[in-house]
Amino acid sequence: MDGAGRLLRDALERGARTPRGRVMLVLHLSRLRAPAPRAYHRRIARAMLQDTAQRHDGQLFPLGNGDLAMLCRSEDTGGAPAVAGMIAEPAQLPELLGRLFRADLPDPARLVSLWSLDGALASAMAYVDTPDRPETEFGRSPQKDRRSGEGPGQGGLGQGGLGQTAAVDAIALLAGGRNLESIMQRQTAVSLGGAGQRGVRPIFREVTFSIAELEARLSAREGADATGQATADPFLFRHLAGRLDARMLETMRTHLAAGSPLDALGAMPMHLNLTVGGVLSDAFARLAEECEAAAHPLGIEISMVEACLDGATFVQARRAVDRAGMRFVLDGVSHMALMLTRPAAMAPDLLKLDWSPRMAEFVDGEREALDAAVAAFGANRIVLHRAETESALHWGLARGIRQFQGRHVDAMLGAGRIRDCGMSAGCTLGQCIGREAAVALPGRAGCGNPALLEAGAAPRPVTVPA
Amino acid sequence: MNTSVAAAQTASRLALLICECVDTGVARRVLLVRLSGLPRVLARPHHLRLIQDALAPLASASRAQTFHLPSGDIAIVWRGAEEAALARTKRALDCLFEDASVAEPARLLAVMHLPDDAVALRAEIGAGGDAPVPISPFAGRPFDPSGLVRLEQALAQADIARFVRRERIRTIEPGALDSGDSETGGFRLAWERRFLAAEDVAAALTPGVALRTDPWLFARLTRTFDRRMLALLSAPAELHGAGPFSLDLNVASLLGPEFTRFDAALPRLLRGQVTIDLVAPDILADLAAFGFARDFARERGYRLGLRGVGAELAPVLPAGRLGFDFVHLRWAEAWAGLAPDLASMSPAAIVLAGADTAEAVAWGRAQGVTLFQGAAVA
């Protein structure tokens, strides 16, 4: 039992001596669906419970597993002055908290426990004495949040060293040297089965800078962990993306103009993820000319956040993509965005829907809403992105989505290549996946069958989930 | 993230108005209040609030516009005879300055005539004689990460009260729709938007930096603005006697400790009278956090607005489905001939922003819009 648990037990024992009119409420933040609980969940919950505790002669106990327990009187003691309608009575809290947390835990009965010390002391005591209530990092350090964005300088290097803004600036500068191909990567998207076909058909390759590699280089330079710094703040990440655009566009144009091996391109269409500013730049116009001359199809991906920064500028960029004869892909669409907004109004040729395990956990109502949103947009124009697991593929296929991109797809393609490659005896699956992702030739060193690597998929179909 | 309206209320827009007066010969009058000449001890938030109140008779005149200059000075420009309002305002200001024992109260006020005093007024707003006035929010050094860090550090120590601005959102008086009175008397105050004048902050703390050259770094900066603004409004008595108002915030700020303190300090009478305005890129960056923040705000009695929406994004962002009470729709002149697709929006939920002309107001009224923000209804 953690320290707060012991304090709660002591308080509960004291309360049990005069149990009448006393209650114990537990807000089970530890039961929220991932990626919750986040730091703000606890901060807001604590503020709300604190109001009630003050007015009802109570006390809060933040427990090691992240749960919040409150002991208080059930009747108003006339303590702190009540703000009209704003301070909930203990009996009102289950309903109120249930409403507030319904997106993260649809079953309110699992979210809040409310025990009267007069009649349910044993249940309260049993909760406190639960031996298998594991401590969580969130419970120990409630300020930690997997997706910070809540304040400057969170995380290793951002907190103790450069600061988050300077870290992002340093990452952008690291992408300014030569040999940019060594920090670029590609990922193949596929179409699975459908229309009487079996197997896996590559449909495009997305080329990006490897943010992880850039962060690793910054870590090495600063002697501190920079993991996650580039993406910790969505606004700073968009700034970084804008600075990387120019380098990406120029690198790709140089490849095309020089008639170099076009390592990144291969035979299938290439997709670039650009900012609106990048699309409206001269560098993009030059690349478009080279693509046209080389008759190489290109797709332009723009994230929904980026597109919604300034609608008028986005429309200009959208027209520039059309004029260049390129495919427009709306990237970074979460399942909530698909349900709450109308991305179809942006008229994308394709939409990249970000996979989240939560999508498979939706209960009635939520599930129907998401399915309806998928159907309304058109499953045939959706690419299920970040498909890291087989369950992502199952979820998509069950809804008519047949286009996928993500680590699980990488593994499927790699497994197929290793199976069909006559020179794969000494290769691991990880090596084969890594080599296929490499844009530069050195990253593919060790592969004895570059033609198969370049093709992405093996000629014989690999197993597609039923 | 468009705050061009905020930017336009400053020196650049006043400079354009001066040019217009010179070019067209249209006469206007100006009351210049040199707040920059106030001793620091007399420029605290409650002093500034009293001054704002004193300015109200003139500022609320039907054809008056208020400009908050980078220096902290305020210029009210109006057309037509407003002698009574001017006299009331001057009397109130004289009393204030006298009570505050200002050394040379007369030096703090100037009444000017345009176009005759154009050169003098341009000098006052910082352009200096015939030198060109910067009119673009993009003029200056590009905003870069080191500039952001410097500005955030400077903000930590700065007294931001002098950069707080107010903007009125007005609604059509009941019955005005039938009477067709759209020019002056048909509107009443619905609420005030309270915000920090970003360009003025930058001009004072890190001069020469053009904030809008990097919209994402600017978006990041607004979180610091949020924290400072919330801290300012949480000060004891800061909101004493305040009417309904709105705040521009980010989702992270709504879920931050400063908002919790602001919420605790909010006077009881204002509960249910405060609107929190958010922008689309911020909510889309983390819709899960937005959903939680939205529900939390509702539980605490706040209304929610979506601002910075133009005709292009209106069909993409159904405000009702996202859970907003209002959407601030930016007026565009092109709408006069061709209305955008607003089928997804309830007119009652629209605040027509940038309604600077009678044409904009007429368009809004024809659409059933009842809430307006802009010079035409200021």
Side-chain angles (χ1 to χ4, degrees), chain B residues 29-94:
Chain B
R29 297 180 74 188
V30 183
L31 174 66
L32 185 68
V33 187
R34 296 190 183 98
L35 294 182
S36 55
L38 274 179
R40 184 175 287 268
V41 292
L42 297 176
R44 306 300 299 172
H46 64 277
H47 294 114
L48 300 178
R49 193 171 56 242
L50 289 170
I51 290 169
Q52 293 273 7
D53 291 343
L55 290 171
L58 191 57
S60 60
S62 60
R63 285 189 285 182
Q65 295 181 60
T66 303
F67 299 88
H68 297 272
L69 304 179
S71 58
D73 296 354
I74 295 175
I76 300 177
V77 185
W78 72 96
R79 282 181 69 182
E82 295 291 351
E83 296 307 320
L86 174 63
R88 276 209 310 279
T89 297
K90 283 186 70 180
R91 210 163 36 241
L93 287 171
D94 285 340

Coordinates of all heavy atoms in Angstrom, one line a residue, chain B residues 29-94:
Chain B
R29 N -12.8 63.8 -36.6 CA -12.2 64.3 -35.5 C -11.5 63.2 -34.7 O -12.0 62.0 -34.8 CB -13.1 65.1 -34.6 CG -13.7 66.3 -35.4 CD -14.6 67.1 -34.6 NE -13.9 67.9 -33.5 CZ -14.6 68.5 -32.6 NH1 -15.9 68.5 -32.5 NH2 -13.9 69.2 -31.7
V30 N -10.6 63.5 -33.9 CA -9.8 62.5 -33.1 C -9.6 63.0 -31.7 O -9.2 64.1 -31.5 CB -8.4 62.3 -33.8 CG1 -7.7 61.2 -33.0 CG2 -8.5 62.0 -35.2
L31 N -9.9 62.1 -30.8 CA -9.5 62.4 -29.4 C -8.3 61.4 -29.1 O -8.4 60.2 -29.2 CB -10.6 62.1 -28.4 CG -10.2 62.2 -26.9 CD1 -9.8 63.6 -26.6 CD2 -11.3 61.7 -26.0
L32 N -7.1 62.0 -28.8 CA -6.0 61.2 -28.5 C -5.7 61.2 -27.0 O -5.6 62.3 -26.4 CB -4.7 61.8 -29.2 CG -3.5 61.0 -29.1 CD1 -3.6 59.6 -29.8 CD2 -2.3 61.7 -29.7
V33 N -5.7 60.1 -26.4 CA -5.4 60.0 -25.0 C -4.1 59.3 -24.8 O -3.8 58.2 -25.1 CB -6.5 59.1 -24.3 CG1 -6.3 59.1 -22.8 CG2 -7.9 59.5 -24.7
R34 N -3.1 60.1 -24.3 CA -1.7 59.7 -24.2 C -1.5 58.9 -22.9 O -0.9 59.5 -22.0 CB -0.8 60.9 -24.4 CG -0.9 61.6 -25.7 CD 0.2 62.7 -25.9 NE 0.1 63.4 -27.1 CZ -0.5 64.6 -27.2 NH1 -1.0 65.2 -26.2 NH2 -0.5 65.2 -28.4
L35 N -1.9 57.7 -22.9 CA -1.8 56.9 -21.7 C -0.3 56.6 -21.4 O 0.1 56.3 -20.3 CB -2.6 55.6 -21.8 CG -4.1 55.8 -21.9 CD1 -4.8 54.4 -22.0 CD2 -4.6 56.5 -20.7
S36 N 0.5 56.7 -22.5 CA 1.9 56.4 -22.3 C 2.6 57.5 -21.4 O 3.7 57.3 -20.9 CB 2.6 56.4 -23.7 OG 2.4 57.6 -24.4
G37 N 1.9 58.6 -21.3 CA 2.4 59.7 -20.4 C 2.0 59.5 -19.0 O 2.5 60.3 -18.1
L38 N 1.2 58.5 -18.7 CA 0.8 58.3 -17.3 C 2.0 57.7 -16.5 O 2.7 56.9 -17.0 CB -0.4 57.3 -17.2 CG -1.8 57.9 -17.4 CD1 -2.8 56.7 -17.3 CD2 -2.1 58.8 -16.3
P39 N 2.2 58.2 -15.3 CA 3.2 57.6 -14.4 C 2.8 56.1 -14.2 O 1.6 55.8 -14.2 CB 3.1 58.3 -13.1 CG 2.3 59.6 -13.4 CD 1.5 59.3 -14.6
R40 N 3.8 55.2 -14.1 CA 3.5 53.8 -14.0 C 2.6 53.5 -12.9 O 1.7 52.6 -13.0 CB 4.9 53.1 -13.8 CG 4.8 51.6 -13.7 CD 6.1 50.9 -13.6 NE 6.9 51.1 -14.9 CZ 6.9 50.1 -15.8 NH1 6.2 49.0 -15.6 NH2 7.5 50.3 -16.9
V41 N 2.7 54.2 -11.8 CA 1.8 53.9 -10.6 C 0.3 54.2 -10.9 O -0.5 53.7 -10.2 CB 2.2 54.6 -9.3 CG1 3.6 54.1 -8.8 CG2 2.3 56.1 -9.6
L42 N 0.1 55.0 -12.0 CA -1.3 55.3 -12.3 C -1.7 54.6 -13.5 O -2.8 54.9 -14.1 CB -1.4 56.8 -12.6 CG -1.1 57.7 -11.4 CD1 -1.2 59.2 -11.8 CD2 -2.1 57.5 -10.3
A43 N -1.0 53.6 -13.9 CA -1.3 52.8 -15.1 C -1.6 51.4 -14.8 O -1.4 50.4 -15.5 CB -0.2 52.9 -16.2
R44 N -2.1 51.1 -13.6 CA -2.5 49.8 -13.1 C -3.8 49.4 -13.7 O -4.6 50.3 -14.2 CB -2.5 49.7 -11.6 CG -1.3 50.2 -10.9 CD -0.1 49.4 -11.2 NE -0.3 48.0 -10.9 CZ 0.6 47.0 -11.2 NH1 1.6 47.3 -11.9 NH2 0.3 45.7 -10.9
P45 N -4.2 48.1 -13.7 CA -5.4 47.7 -14.4 C -6.6 48.5 -14.0 O -7.5 48.8 -14.8 CB -5.5 46.2 -14.0 CG -4.1 45.8 -13.7 CD -3.4 47.0 -13.2
H46 N -6.8 48.8 -12.7 CA -8.0 49.5 -12.3 C -8.0 50.9 -12.8 O -9.1 51.4 -13.1 CB -8.2 49.4 -10.8 CG -7.2 50.1 -10.0 ND1 -6.0 49.5 -9.6 CD2 -7.2 51.3 -9.4 CE1 -5.3 50.3 -8.9 NE2 -6.0 51.4 -8.7
H47 N -6.8 51.5 -12.9 CA -6.8 52.9 -13.5 C -7.2 52.8 -15.0 O -8.1 53.6 -15.4 CB -5.4 53.4 -13.5 CG -4.9 53.7 -12.1 ND1 -3.8 53.0 -11.5 CD2 -5.3 54.6 -11.1 CE1 -3.6 53.4 -10.3 NE2 -4.5 54.4 -10.0
L48 N -6.7 51.8 -15.7 CA -7.0 51.7 -17.1 C -8.5 51.4 -17.3 O -9.1 51.9 -18.3 CB -6.1 50.6 -17.7 CG -4.6 50.9 -17.7 CD1 -3.8 49.8 -18.3 CD2 -4.3 52.2 -18.3
R49 N -9.0 50.6 -16.4 CA -10.4 50.3 -16.5 C -11.3 51.6 -16.3 O -12.2 51.8 -17.0 CB -10.8 49.2 -15.4 CG -12.2 48.6 -15.7 CD -12.4 47.4 -14.7 NE -12.3 47.8 -13.4 CZ -11.4 47.3 -12.5 NH1 -10.5 46.4 -13.0 NH2 -11.3 47.6 -11.3
L50 N -10.9 52.4 -15.3 CA -11.6 53.6 -15.1 C -11.5 54.5 -16.4 O -12.5 55.2 -16.8 CB -11.1 54.4 -13.9 CG -11.4 53.7 -12.5 CD1 -10.6 54.4 -11.4 CD2 -12.9 53.8 -12.2
I51 N -10.4 54.5 -17.0 CA -10.2 55.4 -18.2 C -11.0 54.9 -19.3 O -11.7 55.6 -20.0 CB -8.7 55.4 -18.6 CG1 -7.9 56.2 -17.5 CG2 -8.5 56.0 -20.0 CD1 -6.4 56.1 -17.6
Q52 N -11.1 53.5 -19.4 CA -11.9 52.9 -20.5 C -13.4 53.3 -20.3 O -14.1 53.7 -21.2 CB -11.8 51.4 -20.5 CG -10.5 50.9 -20.9 CD -10.3 50.7 -22.4 OE1 -11.2 51.1 -23.1 NE2 -9.2 50.1 -22.8
D53 N -13.8 53.3 -19.0 CA -15.2 53.7 -18.7 C -15.4 55.1 -19.1 O -16.5 55.5 -19.6 CB -15.5 53.4 -17.2 CG -15.5 51.9 -16.9 OD1 -15.6 51.1 -17.9 OD2 -15.4 51.6 -15.7
A54 N -14.4 56.0 -18.7 CA -14.6 57.4 -19.0 C -14.7 57.7 -20.5 O -15.3 58.6 -21.0 CB -13.4 58.2 -18.4
L55 N -14.0 56.8 -21.3 CA -14.0 57.0 -22.8 C -15.3 56.5 -23.4 O -15.6 56.8 -24.6 CB -12.9 56.2 -23.4 CG -11.5 56.8 -23.1 CD1 -10.4 55.8 -23.6 CD2 -11.3 58.1 -23.8
A56 N -16.1 55.8 -22.6 CA -17.3 55.1 -23.2 C -18.2 56.0 -24.0 O -18.7 55.6 -25.0 CB -18.0 54.3 -22.1
P57 N -18.6 57.2 -23.4 CA -19.6 58.0 -24.2 C -19.2 58.3 -25.6 O -20.0 58.2 -26.5 CB -19.6 59.3 -23.3 CG -19.2 58.9 -22.0 CD -18.2 57.8 -22.2
L58 N -17.9 58.6 -25.8 CA -17.4 58.9 -27.1 C -17.2 57.6 -27.9 O -17.5 57.5 -29.1 CB -16.1 59.7 -27.1 CG -15.7 60.4 -28.4 CD1 -16.8 61.3 -29.0 CD2 -14.4 61.2 -28.1
A59 N -16.6 56.6 -27.3 CA -16.2 55.4 -28.0 C -17.5 54.7 -28.5 O -17.4 54.0 -29.5 CB -15.4 54.5 -27.1
S60 N -18.6 54.9 -27.8 CA -19.8 54.2 -28.2 C -20.7 55.0 -29.1 O -21.8 54.6 -29.5 CB -20.6 53.8 -27.0 OG -20.9 54.9 -26.2
A61 N -20.1 56.2 -29.5 CA -20.9 57.0 -30.5 C -21.0 56.2 -31.8 O -20.2 55.3 -32.1 CB -20.2 58.3 -30.8
S62 N -22.1 56.5 -32.6 CA -22.5 55.7 -33.7 C -21.4 55.5 -34.7 O -21.2 54.5 -35.3 CB -23.8 56.2 -34.3 OG -23.6 57.5 -34.8
R63 N -20.6 56.6 -35.0 CA -19.7 56.5 -36.1 C -18.2 56.7 -35.5 O -17.4 57.3 -36.1 CB -20.0 57.5 -37.2 CG -21.2 57.0 -38.0 CD -21.4 57.9 -39.2 NE -22.0 59.2 -38.9 CZ -22.4 60.1 -39.8 NH1 -22.1 59.9 -41.1 NH2 -22.9 61.2 -39.4
A64 N -18.0 56.1 -34.4 CA -16.7 56.3 -33.7 C -15.9 54.9 -33.8 O -16.5 53.9 -33.8 CB -16.8 56.7 -32.3
Q65 N -14.6 55.0 -34.0 CA -13.8 53.9 -34.0 C -12.7 54.1 -33.0 O -12.1 55.2 -32.9 CB -13.1 53.6 -35.3 CG -14.1 53.3 -36.4 CD -13.4 53.0 -37.8 OE1 -12.6 52.1 -37.9 NE2 -13.7 53.8 -38.7
T66 N -12.3 53.0 -32.2 CA -11.3 53.2 -31.2 C -10.0 52.4 -31.7 O -10.1 51.3 -32.2 CB -11.8 52.6 -29.9 OG1 -13.0 53.3 -29.5 CG2 -10.8 52.8 -28.8
F67 N -8.9 53.1 -31.5 CA -7.6 52.5 -31.9 C -6.7 52.4 -30.7 O -6.4 53.4 -30.1 CB -6.9 53.3 -33.0 CG -7.8 53.4 -34.3 CD1 -8.7 54.4 -34.4 CD2 -7.6 52.4 -35.3 CE1 -9.5 54.4 -35.6 CE2 -8.4 52.5 -36.4 CZ -9.3 53.5 -36.6
H68 N -6.2 51.2 -30.4 CA -5.2 51.1 -29.3 C -3.8 51.0 -29.9 O -3.5 50.1 -30.6 CB -5.5 49.8 -28.5 CG -6.9 49.8 -27.9 ND1 -7.1 50.3 -26.6 CD2 -8.1 49.4 -28.3 CE1 -8.3 50.2 -26.3 NE2 -9.0 49.7 -27.3
L69 N -3.1 52.0 -29.7 CA -1.8 52.2 -30.4 C -0.7 51.4 -29.6 O -0.8 51.1 -28.4 CB -1.4 53.7 -30.4 CG -2.5 54.5 -31.1 CD1 -2.1 56.0 -31.1 CD2 -2.7 54.1 -32.5
P70 N 0.4 51.1 -30.4 CA 1.4 50.3 -29.7 C 2.0 50.9 -28.5 O 2.5 50.3 -27.6 CB 2.5 50.2 -30.9 CG 1.7 50.4 -32.1 CD 0.6 51.3 -31.8
S71 N 2.0 52.3 -28.5 CA 2.6 53.0 -27.3 C 1.7 52.8 -26.1 O 2.2 53.2 -25.0 CB 2.7 54.5 -27.7 OG 1.3 54.9 -28.0
G72 N 0.5 52.3 -26.2 CA -0.4 52.3 -25.1 C -1.5 53.4 -25.2 O -2.5 53.4 -24.5
D73 N -1.2 54.4 -26.1 CA -2.2 55.5 -26.2 C -3.4 55.0 -26.9 O -3.4 53.9 -27.6 CB -1.5 56.6 -27.1 CG -0.3 57.2 -26.4 OD1 -0.1 56.9 -25.2 OD2 0.3 58.1 -27.1
I74 N -4.5 55.8 -26.7 CA -5.8 55.4 -27.4 C -6.2 56.6 -28.2 O -6.2 57.7 -27.8 CB -6.8 55.1 -26.3 CG1 -6.5 53.8 -25.5 CG2 -8.2 54.9 -27.0 CD1 -7.4 53.5 -24.4
A75 N -6.6 56.3 -29.5 CA -7.2 57.3 -30.3 C -8.6 56.9 -30.7 O -8.9 55.8 -31.1 CB -6.4 57.4 -31.6
I76 N -9.5 57.9 -30.5 CA -10.9 57.6 -30.9 C -11.2 58.6 -32.1 O -11.0 59.8 -31.9 CB -11.9 57.9 -29.7 CG1 -11.6 57.0 -28.6 CG2 -13.4 57.7 -30.2 CD1 -12.5 57.2 -27.3
V77 N -11.6 58.0 -33.2 CA -11.9 58.8 -34.4 C -13.3 58.7 -34.7 O -13.9 57.6 -34.6 CB -11.0 58.2 -35.6 CG1 -11.2 59.1 -36.8 CG2 -9.6 58.1 -35.2
W78 N -13.9 59.9 -35.0 CA -15.4 59.8 -35.3 C -15.7 60.8 -36.4 O -15.0 61.7 -36.6 CB -16.2 60.1 -34.0 CG -16.2 61.5 -33.5 CD1 -17.1 62.4 -33.7 CD2 -15.2 62.0 -32.7 NE1 -16.7 63.6 -33.1 CE2 -15.6 63.4 -32.4 CE3 -14.0 61.6 -32.1 CZ2 -14.8 64.2 -31.6 CZ3 -13.2 62.5 -31.3 CH2 -13.7 63.8 -31.1
R79 N -16.9 60.6 -37.0 CA -17.4 61.5 -37.9 C -18.7 62.1 -37.4 O -19.4 61.5 -36.6 CB -17.8 60.8 -39.2 CG -16.6 60.4 -40.1 CD -17.1 59.7 -41.4 NE -17.9 60.6 -42.2 CZ -18.4 60.2 -43.4 NH1 -18.3 58.9 -43.8 NH2 -19.1 61.0 -44.1
G80 N -18.9 63.4 -37.8 CA -20.2 64.0 -37.4 C -20.1 64.7 -36.1 O -19.0 64.7 -35.4
A81 N -21.2 65.3 -35.6 CA -21.2 66.1 -34.4 C -21.4 65.2 -33.2 O -22.5 64.6 -33.1 CB -22.3 67.2 -34.5
E82 N -20.4 65.2 -32.4 CA -20.6 64.4 -31.1 C -20.1 65.3 -30.0 O -19.4 64.8 -29.1 CB -19.7 63.1 -31.2 CG -20.2 62.1 -32.3 CD -21.5 61.5 -31.9 OE1 -22.0 61.7 -30.8 OE2 -22.1 60.8 -32.8
E83 N -20.5 66.6 -30.0 CA -20.0 67.5 -29.1 C -20.3 67.1 -27.6 O -19.5 67.2 -26.8 CB -20.5 68.9 -29.4 CG -20.1 69.5 -30.7 CD -18.6 69.4 -30.9 OE1 -17.9 69.7 -29.9 OE2 -18.2 69.1 -32.0
A84 N -21.6 66.7 -27.5 CA -22.0 66.3 -26.1 C -21.2 65.2 -25.6 O -20.7 65.2 -24.4 CB -23.5 66.0 -26.1
A85 N -21.0 64.2 -26.4 CA -20.2 63.0 -26.0 C -18.8 63.3 -25.7 O -18.2 62.8 -24.7 CB -20.3 61.9 -27.1
L86 N -18.2 64.2 -26.6 CA -16.8 64.6 -26.4 C -16.7 65.4 -25.1 O -15.8 65.1 -24.3 CB -16.4 65.5 -27.6 CG -15.0 66.1 -27.4 CD1 -13.9 65.0 -27.4 CD2 -14.7 67.0 -28.6
A87 N -17.6 66.2 -24.8 CA -17.6 67.0 -23.6 C -17.7 66.1 -22.4 O -16.9 66.3 -21.4 CB -18.7 68.1 -23.6
R88 N -18.6 65.2 -22.4 CA -18.7 64.2 -21.3 C -17.5 63.4 -21.1 O -17.0 63.3 -19.9 CB -19.9 63.3 -21.5 CG -21.3 63.8 -21.2 CD -22.3 62.8 -20.7 NE -22.4 61.7 -21.7 CZ -23.1 61.7 -22.8 NH1 -23.7 62.8 -23.1 NH2 -23.2 60.6 -23.6
T89 N -16.9 63.0 -22.1 CA -15.7 62.2 -22.0 C -14.5 63.0 -21.5 O -13.8 62.6 -20.6 CB -15.3 61.6 -23.4 OG1 -16.3 60.7 -23.9 CG2 -14.0 60.8 -23.4
K90 N -14.4 64.2 -22.0 CA -13.3 65.0 -21.5 C -13.4 65.4 -20.1 O -12.5 65.4 -19.3 CB -13.2 66.3 -22.4 CG -12.6 66.1 -23.7 CD -12.4 67.4 -24.5 CE -11.3 68.3 -23.8 NZ -11.1 69.5 -24.5
R91 N -14.7 65.7 -19.7 CA -14.9 66.0 -18.3 C -14.6 64.8 -17.4 O -13.9 65.0 -16.4 CB -16.4 66.4 -18.1 CG -16.7 67.4 -17.0 CD -18.0 68.0 -17.1 NE -19.1 67.2 -17.5 CZ -19.8 67.4 -18.6 NH1 -19.6 68.5 -19.4 NH2 -20.8 66.7 -19.0
A92 N -15.0 63.7 -17.8 CA -14.7 62.5 -17.0 C -13.2 62.2 -16.9 O -12.6 61.9 -15.8 CB -15.4 61.2 -17.6
L93 N -12.5 62.4 -18.0 CA -11.0 62.2 -18.0 C -10.3 63.2 -17.1 O -9.4 62.9 -16.4 CB -10.5 62.2 -19.4 CG -10.8 60.9 -20.3 CD1 -10.4 61.2 -21.7 CD2 -10.2 59.7 -19.7
D94 N -10.8 64.5 -17.3 CA -10.2 65.6 -16.5 C -10.3 65.3 -15.0 O -9.3 65.5 -14.2 CB -10.8 66.9 -16.8 CG -10.4 67.4 -18.2 OD1 -9.3 67.0 -18.7 OD2 -11.1 68.3 -18.8

